[in-house]
Amino acid sequence: GQQLNQSPQSMFIQEGEDVSMNCTSSSIFNTWLWYKQDPGEGPVLLIALYKAGELTSNGRLTAQFGITRKDSFLNISASIPSDVGIYFCAGQLSGGSNYKLTFGKGTLLTVNP
Amino acid sequence: DADVTQTPRNRITKTGKRIMLECSQTKGHDRMYWYRQDPGLGLRLIYYSFDVKDINKGEISDGYSVSRQAQAKFSLSLESAIPNQTALYFCAAGQAGSPQHFGDGTRLSIL
């Protein structure tokens, strides 16, 4: 089956620093999604990408859908303490079943004030 | 969001017991999903449903069953719980072509 490699597994940064994380796949996706999970809560959608090469921002977050359709990155600028959490990438295929969402294993972000 | 509500939020039970986890959504989405989250493994799909009475197996359906008797409700059952089913369980809902939205999860511990 498809696999997503998400890196890094964890990051420890100082408040104010920029952060970058990425996902790569062994096969192509039609959609890339980035979610954030806070402790005790479910994943919350941050950014959705639907087109190869697309670059989308949501406040201090920027994500790109790789031109090969096999990768995506998420950048967080000027990190703040509430950015702490686990960030997941997810790739989705469209087609007959149009359901398949494959998740990366997550990046644990810690921000030191 | 899709206003996905899961009950209970926490459950501790014993090996061999039957357990049901409930999920409801208020946005009228057609599609509902159950995932399991384990540390270091991310989210893995257990079952999904595209409509009432439609049930499909995901990656790890063994030991689980589901019921979708109403559009807004999708329940997950463990017929005879075993300790390696201890995990965080998430329900999600969405429409075709749109991202899935998640509930806040059920933390299940099986002793």
Side-chain angles (χ1 to χ4, degrees), chain A residues 19-100:
Chain A
V19 172
S20 184
M21 58 192 79
N22 69 84
C23 277
T24 58
S25 170
S26 56
S27 53
I28 64 173
F29 288 110
N30 300 109
T31 301
W32 281 96
L33 307 170
W34 285 92
Y35 288 87
K36 182 193 176 195
Q37 185 178 21
D38 291 324
E41 299 182 13
V44 174
L45 182 69
L46 298 174
I47 292 179
L49 302 159
Y50 298 104
K51 187 177 178 181
E54 179 181 357
L55 184 71
T56 296
S57 293
N58 178 8
R60 293 179 295 107
L61 278 61
T62 301
Q64 185 159 30
F65 190 145
I67 199 72
T68 65
R69 295 165 64 191
K70 292 184 178 182
D71 63 304
S72 177
F73 72 75
L74 175 70
N75 288 341
I76 305 173
S77 63
S79 60
I80 58 178
S82 62
D83 289 334
V84 165
I86 304 175
Y87 292 80
F88 290 99
C89 63
Q92 182 166 330
L93 274 177
S94 58
S97 61
N98 197 21
Y99 84 90
K100 190 171 177 62

Side-chain angles (χ1 to χ4, degrees), chain B residues 10 29 42 44 55 59 65 82 111:
Chain B
N10 294 279
H29 291 300
R44 294 181 292 166
I55 302 295
E59 303 171 60
S65 62
I82 55 177
L111 307 177

Side-chain angles (χ1 to χ4, degrees), chain B residues 3 19 64 66 92-93 100 108:
Chain B
D3 287 327
I19 301 159
Y64 301 95
V66 291
Q100 297 172 26
L108 179 62

Side-chain angles (χ1 to χ4, degrees), chain A residues 35-45 88 101 103, chain B residues 1-10 21-27 29 31-37 43 72 74 88-94 99-107:
Chain A
Y35 288 87
K36 182 193 176 195
Q37 185 178 21
D38 291 324
E41 299 182 13
V44 174
L45 182 69
F88 290 99
L101 194 62
F103 282 86
Chain B
D1 282 348
D3 287 327
V4 180
T5 303
Q6 293 183 234
T7 57
R9 290 297 312 277
N10 294 279
L21 308 184
E22 304 277 4
C23 176
S24 62
Q25 51 107 355
T26 60
K27 296 291 187 180
H29 291 300
R31 301 182 174 199
M32 297 187 74
Y33 310 80
W34 274 104
Y35 291 88
R36 169 178 172 159
Q37 186 178 33
L43 288 143
F74 193 35
L88 194 52
Y89 290 84
F90 286 102
C91 176
Q100 297 172 26
H101 298 273
F102 289 80
D104 283 337
T106 294
R107 185 170 297 279

Side-chain angles (χ1 to χ4, degrees), chain B residues 50-68:
Chain B
F50 284 173
D51 204 347
V52 175
K53 303 293 186 182
D54 175 69
I55 302 295
N56 304 281
K57 291 183 177 180
E59 303 171 60
I60 52 166
S61 59
D62 288 348
Y64 301 95
S65 62
V66 291
S67 175
R68 183 95 183 270

